[in-house]
Amino acid sequence: MAATTVRANGTSATAKLEKIPPAAHPLADEPAEVAANINYHAKYSPHFSPFKFEPEQAYYASAESVLDRLVQQWNETYLQFHKDDPKQTYYLSMEYLQGRALINAIGNLNVHNAYADALNKLGHDLEEVVEQEKDAALGNGGLGRLASCFLDSMATLNLPAWGYGLRYKYGLFKQLITKMGQEEIAEDWLEKFSPWEVVRHDVVFPVRFFGRVKLNPNGSRKWVEGEVFQALAYDVPIPGYKTKNTISLRLWEAKASSGDFNLFQFNDGQYESAAQLHSRAQQICAVLYPGDATESGKLLRLKQQFFLCSASLQDIIHRFKERKDGKDSWQWSEFPSKVAVQLNDTHPTLAIPELMRLLMDDEGLGWDEAWDVTTRTIAYTNHTVLPEALEKWSQVVMWKLLPRHMEIIEEIDKRFIAMIRATQPDLESKLPNMRILDNNPQKPVVRMANLCVVSAHTVNGVAQLHSDILKSELFADYVSVWPSKLQNKTNGITPRRWLRFCNPELSNIITKWLKTEQWVTNLDLLVGLRQCADNADLQAEWASAKMANKQRLAQYILRVTGVSIDPNSLFDIQVKRIHEYKRQLMNILGAIYRYKKLKEMSPDERKNITPRTIMIGGKAFATYTNAKRIVKLVNDVGDVVNTDPEVNSYLKVVFIPNYNVSVAEMLIPGSELSQHISTAGMEASGTSNMKFSLNGCLIIGTLDGANVEIREEIGEENFFLFGATADQVPRLRKERENGLFKPDPRFEEAKQFIRSGAFGSYDYNPLLESLEGNSGYGRGDYFLVGHDFPSYMDAQERVDAAYKDTKKWLKMSILSTAGSGKFSSDRTISQYAKEIWNIEECRVP
Ligand code: NBG
């Protein structure tokens, strides 16, 4: 095999390279021309010394070859947008979890096979080449991945839209599992370079921090002095699926200018102070979510947020004015008919006062006109109801960093109060909670979510249940003021990355049985599988695809953890950020109970047990101690269970290290059961639940987030439901406080087993304490693990029984895929386009 020879020395590939003459074929789609174009890049866009053509070199040359075509399509798309001048959407997000780009790009461009053949001619294997790419992980979890799925759908639907974000040097950390548990190490995705970004040296905007507000003689105000950095644009192409439309993800990088470099000081040996502003510029985009425990950490995060908002809005205004230039007369009031700005959570809230400032102080608009433009332009998506995740910025810090914006925010707050008093005096008592400023003298803060609700024309939640909770709880007071401001937009995922490309085996079966590939862009067509869910041939094909994916996954697990798992066991997976509300602790307690029971059984009794492999993966925030203890516990349980010869053919527990987009692409196709078991009312939506279900994986879960809708779509008989509902949670917490909670013996037994030292001597008491007592900080089982545990274990028994009936299980699996059509991000984005942004497709012919 070519790939193995290459891995051995790379010389065979170099020899093959010699035989293919390098030639520029930017639009090649025949393997021979593609190979020539790859070779062209290997020769004439060199990044390495010329003697090697190993998988790494092949990756960079292939990516550059793909970029040729993307650039062509990109330019055509820009041109089309320029010509048609449609209303455009600008999606502002502090996070994008793009993952790898190569396999996605050649899939969307429909040149996958051509690249596979071309690389073969060059002595390489596409799969191995693809593995060379580092994940672009400029995000934490669901929120960032959602933004990336949205970009894919915007491009595929030919929508005139842009993504804006920051070009962090270090994205999400790499998770290392050691004897101590999780360790974080910096992941430099730009270490060599990213072939997917194009720096736009002509797109640069100044961004100011600190300084003061100057009052002009005419009464206008101007923000002056302070520090000024340059925001430089790096564009990443986002190709649509089988369309020429290719849109941009514009990532800003902070720079200081050469004028800020003190040559005199430098020559005088004062190297640090000579380049002070340069090193401060580097800090801005150095890391995603710098720790904010310290004051300087908080300041840095606020700087990042403002940097994104200011650069993006200047760019948006610049583009708007560019179109208007040369036209006889135009008005700022037309701005909202050309521009829609979507705030992805509250992180880019400063776009609101920044747009006000740019319109008033730079463009000379009055308050009322600027406010009218701003509020008709901006919309806000809420992604959480967790109080600790609702951003509140210290007024003291804000006055220091952004004095003009604080003036504007105070004015918005003042006018909001006046409006309520004038129009809804009955809400007077609610005002302290509704207003933007919280002037608590101990710690005066700005409530970013309130600023968004007051200023945006539309506010949306991300699943029906979540949107209902926003209306009835978090934002309930605003509903009577603006009855139609709150909407729901249930999240979605791109079917390209999350089925078509990550699971080609299953995709081919679906295409064969539906007799069309249209489902890739019209996911509702999957319902067509329902009528053949009982068909023995389909079931056999379905089972063999699943088995192939499970085997691939088992090899991966062996490679990264050293644990060998049995592809004939039930593959049960929970992967997501580690958080107490997501209740990985319940999962591992269940595994512990299962282990204990297995130990107590006779060999004959064990023979009736459904063998299981429980896989748990996810990153814990570096300073979140309980989350880290959970990671440690899963690893410790795995160490004991997996090496216990008595039971380890019936149970394995594996912690999957460094969960990220690429790992998800491997895990999800090989999964049979996945756990989405958050405390009801706490997970806004979840999106991995959609990915698993789309890939024919059954869900055990609570009535939370999008689980509710998934269950509705696929049928309740195909969903393993358990646990309290969202409306019961407050009462259950009260009852617990009043000492009325009676734990299930199974729950007590599992905890006791940990305390007995069965999984080592690590001190798990602080973690277990969180489940004890009826009240108190970090106690009293706030997430209701104890309450839901018995119904969870019962549901797990139903899973074991169902898995024994292979035909039934396969039918449920097919029905999961068949019912997942609603969860395409194409559906979500079409709804945003129609119901929030009011934009239409602008297709490159
Ligand atoms: C997350 C929610 C998820 C949801 C994603 C995408 C934040 C603040 N929220 O449930 O926890 O699926 O957003 O909407 O990261």
Side-chain angles (χ1 to χ4, degrees):
M1 290 288 296
T4 28
T5 2
V6 170
R7 217 177 289 121
N9 53 27
T11 44
S12 117
T14 323
K16 287 198 175 176
L17 193 67
E18 296 302 322
K19 295 205 188 97
I20 313 257
H25 287 293
L27 302 182
D29 49 20
E30 290 306 317
E33 286 182 351
V34 170
N37 203 51
I38 294 174
N39 193 8
Y40 177 86
H41 282 286
K43 286 253 151 47
Y44 300 115
S45 325
H47 306 285
F48 303 93
S49 46
F51 312 110
K52 276 207 277 187
F53 190 64
E54 291 185 351
E56 185 176 34
Q57 287 77 27
Y59 159 67
Y60 281 103
S62 301
E64 283 174 331
S65 158
V66 173
L67 190 66
D68 287 347
R69 175 187 284 260
L70 288 177
V71 167
Q72 165 81 22
Q73 298 197 2
W74 215 353
N75 290 340
E76 286 178 46
T77 310
Y78 277 120
L79 207 72
Q80 197 65 37
F81 291 178
H82 194 83
K83 224 171 66 201
D84 294 0
D85 192 21
K87 180 173 181 183
Q88 306 197 33
T89 288
Y90 300 93
Y91 196 79
L92 267 56
S93 178
M94 289 290 283
E95 301 189 30
Y96 292 90
L97 264 186
Q98 289 285 96
R100 289 178 176 148
L102 179 57
I103 200 80
N104 189 66
I106 60 179
N108 276 7
L109 295 171
N110 203 15
V111 290
H112 179 108
N113 294 342
Y115 270 79
D117 290 355
L119 282 166
N120 243 308
K121 287 184 195 300
L122 295 167
H124 284 291
D125 177 40
L126 176 62
E127 260 183 52
E128 194 187 8
V129 168
V130 160
E131 292 284 317
Q132 303 301 310
E133 183 171 358
K134 287 197 177 180
D135 272 39
L138 309 182
N140 274 306
L143 177 136
R145 185 52 232 175
L146 183 76
S148 295
C149 282
F150 279 5
L151 294 179
D152 183 83
S153 285
M154 288 171 188
T156 300
L157 294 168
N158 304 308
L159 291 173
W162 299 66
Y164 278 106
L166 292 184
R167 184 176 179 266
Y168 307 104
K169 177 167 157 52
Y170 298 109
L172 186 58
F173 64 86
K174 190 165 166 179
Q175 180 190 51
L176 217 64
I177 300 297
T178 67
K179 282 274 157 261
M180 313 292 293
Q182 166 179 306
E183 277 177 36
E184 305 87 35
I185 44 180
E187 171 96 290
D188 189 353
W189 70 293
L190 298 170
E191 192 167 20
K192 294 207 168 108
F193 68 103
S194 164
W196 304 107
E197 54 177 20
V198 172
V199 50
R200 305 286 188 193
H201 296 284
D202 53 343
V203 183
V204 183
F205 295 97
V207 177
R208 188 183 306 274
F209 295 127
F210 305 110
R212 65 182 180 92
V213 181
K214 190 176 118 203
L215 192 62
N216 293 320
N218 66 358
S220 68
R221 304 172 88 83
K222 193 94 189 161
W223 183 22
V224 294
E225 300 165 9
E227 291 175 352
V228 178
F229 297 99
Q230 307 301 319
L232 171 63
Y234 283 74
D235 285 354
V236 179
I238 309 290
Y241 179 75
K242 295 193 181 170
T243 169
K244 280 193 181 166
N245 282 52
T246 300
I247 59 172
S248 289
L249 168 57
R250 178 157 283 181
L251 301 174
W252 299 107
E253 186 185 74
K255 289 229 170 281
S257 58
S258 55
D260 294 319
F261 187 79
N262 192 325
L263 201 55
F264 178 83
Q265 282 187 349
F266 195 86
N267 285 328
D268 193 39
Q270 305 172 49
Y271 306 123
E272 256 116 62
S273 62
Q276 227 179 51
L277 218 60
H278 289 254
S279 81
R280 278 215 286 275
Q282 269 171 20
Q283 290 165 12
I284 296 174
C285 297
V287 281
L288 165 81
Y289 285 98
D292 63 351
T294 62
E295 280 309 305
S296 54
K298 287 196 179 74
L299 186 69
L300 183 58
R301 274 210 200 177
L302 195 60
K303 280 184 176 179
Q304 292 186 324
Q305 297 190 346
F306 180 67
F307 195 76
L308 166 68
C309 295
S310 180
S312 307
L313 280 168
Q314 290 180 68
D315 194 26
I316 294 165
I317 288 178
H318 173 81
R319 189 165 309 117
F320 173 74
K321 285 177 33 177
E322 206 173 52
R323 299 291 154 69
K324 298 295 172 190
D325 266 0
K327 293 202 176 132
D328 295 343
S329 66
W330 60 270
Q331 309 215 310
W332 279 101
S333 59
E334 294 163 29
F335 189 78
S337 61
K338 289 293 177 194
V339 173
V341 172
Q342 188 69 37
L343 308 182
N344 193 26
D345 216 333
T346 52
H347 319 140
T349 304
L350 290 167
I352 295 163
E354 176 65 350
L355 182 54
M356 288 294 288
R357 182 189 73 85
L358 291 166
L359 292 174
M360 293 193 298
D361 301 357
D362 285 7
E363 306 296 343
L365 273 65
W367 180 277
D368 291 334
E369 209 188 342
W371 181 246
D372 175 65
V373 169
T374 301
T375 52
R376 286 195 294 131
T377 301
I378 290 188
Y380 153 64
T381 306
N382 172 284
H383 294 267
T384 183
V385 297
L386 297 194
E388 69 270 25
L390 292 173
E391 288 188 294
K392 295 186 176 76
W393 287 108
S394 146
Q395 290 183 23
V396 179
V397 175
M398 293 263 294
W399 275 115
K400 209 166 94 184
L401 187 70
L402 304 164
R404 180 67 182 122
H405 299 80
M406 269 312 285
E407 286 184 354
I408 293 169
I409 292 169
E410 274 197 337
E411 186 67 22
I412 298 175
D413 187 54
K414 204 174 92 192
R415 288 175 185 241
F416 172 67
I417 295 172
M419 185 270 279
I420 294 294
R421 289 197 172 133
T423 60
Q424 309 238 330
D426 51 311
L427 287 178
E428 178 73 39
S429 65
K430 309 263 193 223
L431 264 176
N433 283 324
M434 293 170 82
R435 57 180 293 195
I436 297 156
L437 297 181
D438 175 350
N439 289 334
N440 172 352
Q442 309 298 302
K443 195 177 184 296
V445 292
V446 182
R447 295 185 279 219
M448 304 313 255
N450 291 17
L451 178 53
C452 286
V453 177
V454 168
S455 314
H457 60 81
T458 306
V459 174
N460 75 285
V462 290
Q464 191 59 55
L465 175 68
H466 168 61
S467 298
D468 291 345
I469 291 174
L470 292 184
K471 271 196 215 169
S472 61
E473 291 169 40
L474 195 62
F475 299 143
D477 296 339
Y478 300 100
V479 173
S480 65
V481 187
W482 296 293
S484 55
K485 196 181 267 206
L486 266 91
Q487 294 192 9
N488 174 54
K489 293 285 162 285
T490 298
N491 283 166
I493 54 168
T494 167
R496 272 72 67 185
R497 183 179 293 264
W498 296 113
L499 177 54
R500 178 65 193 85
F501 305 149
C502 75
N503 198 346
E505 297 84 356
L506 199 67
S507 295
N508 291 337
I509 294 168
I510 293 170
T511 300
K512 176 179 156 193
W513 284 78
L514 292 180
K515 301 191 178 66
T516 170
E517 228 207 355
Q518 294 290 319
W519 60 269
V520 180
T521 46
N522 181 2
L523 205 61
D524 286 330
L525 293 177
L526 292 179
V527 293
L529 293 171
R530 266 190 201 148
Q531 67 201 57
C532 21
D534 280 310
N535 186 300
D537 294 335
L538 173 60
Q539 288 196 356
E541 291 175 32
W542 203 265
S544 85
K546 188 57 85 184
M547 182 47 80
N549 288 324
K550 286 174 77 179
Q551 280 164 346
R552 189 170 60 135
L553 173 53
Q555 281 165 18
Y556 175 78
I557 297 286
L558 182 62
R559 182 154 60 82
V560 298
T561 68
V563 179
S564 131
I565 61 175
D566 177 7
N568 291 306
S569 64
L570 166 60
F571 277 15
D572 165 352
I573 302 187
Q574 185 183 22
V575 277
K576 46 185 85 235
R577 289 301 294 242
I578 311 289
H579 207 295
E580 285 162 289
Y581 86 82
K582 295 179 189 280
R583 300 199 292 192
Q584 285 92 353
L585 185 53
M586 180 148 75
N587 185 351
I588 195 66
L589 284 169
I592 289 167
Y593 184 79
R594 180 180 285 266
Y595 173 61
K596 185 155 184 290
K597 292 299 118 179
L598 276 168
K599 290 294 283 179
E600 292 163 6
M601 284 175 197
S602 69
D604 268 351
E605 283 170 326
R606 287 188 196 124
K607 291 200 177 108
N608 289 322
I609 294 299
T610 304
R612 259 208 215 211
T613 302
I614 298 173
M615 294 171 246
I616 299 177
K619 294 178 183 177
F621 192 72
T623 54
Y624 188 172
T625 359
N626 262 357
K628 286 185 142 177
R629 289 183 181 122
I630 294 171
V631 173
K632 172 83 175 124
L633 178 58
V634 175
N635 278 285
D636 283 352
V637 172
D639 285 348
V640 172
V641 172
N642 301 340
T643 52
D644 185 334
E646 239 179 9
V647 302
N648 69 6
S649 49
Y650 298 98
L651 179 64
K652 288 261 166 80
V653 174
V654 182
F655 187 86
I656 297 165
N658 200 37
Y659 178 59
N660 62 18
V661 171
S662 296
V663 174
E665 286 166 14
M666 159 86 58
L667 290 174
I668 292 169
S671 63
E672 293 175 293
L673 179 76
S674 75
Q675 307 210 19
H676 306 273
I677 57 178
S678 50
T679 317
M682 301 196 80
E683 186 72 271
S685 162
T687 41
S688 75
N689 43 5
M690 303 169 182
K691 294 166 196 165
F692 281 105
S693 173
L694 179 63
N695 282 272
C697 172
L698 304 189
I699 289 178
I700 180 168
T702 45
L703 275 184
D704 200 15
N707 282 358
V708 178
E709 289 156 81
I710 293 175
R711 181 166 167 270
E712 263 164 33
E713 293 293 313
I714 67 175
E716 55 184 66
E717 65 286 6
N718 302 311
F719 189 105
F720 299 100
L721 181 70
F722 73 94
T725 55
D727 56 332
Q728 295 167 348
V729 167
R731 178 177 56 78
L732 291 167
R733 286 194 180 131
K734 260 257 120 44
E735 285 178 8
R736 173 101 186 201
E737 267 174 42
N738 296 333
L740 295 172
F741 172 67
K742 293 215 174 41
D744 186 269
R746 291 173 281 183
F747 184 56
E748 296 301 293
E749 208 176 322
K751 287 185 296 177
Q752 194 42 46
F753 201 36
I754 302 176
R755 289 206 168 100
S756 75
F759 305 105
S761 57
Y762 181 86
D763 182 11
Y764 283 110
N765 277 316
L767 182 62
L768 296 173
E769 280 292 299
S770 71
L771 305 172
E772 305 299 339
N774 294 326
S775 57
Y777 182 75
R779 289 171 54 84
D781 193 13
Y782 185 75
F783 302 100
L784 305 183
V785 179
H787 176 273
D788 282 355
F789 193 76
S791 65
Y792 172 67
M793 293 310 283
D794 295 346
Q796 289 288 17
E797 277 180 28
R798 298 200 299 276
V799 171
D800 288 326
Y803 196 71
K804 286 185 179 151
D805 184 346
T806 308
K807 269 176 120 75
K808 180 177 165 202
W809 186 275
L810 282 167
K811 179 176 178 182
M812 290 168 85
S813 168
I814 295 167
L815 290 175
S816 290
T817 302
S820 293
K822 174 175 172 185
F823 305 103
S824 167
S825 47
D826 297 344
R827 186 267 313 148
T828 315
I829 284 299
S830 306
Q831 291 179 333
Y832 275 90
K834 230 167 116 187
E835 296 159 22
I836 300 182
W837 303 331
N838 193 22
I839 61 166
E840 278 167 9
E841 88 157 17
C842 178
R843 181 199 290 267
V844 179

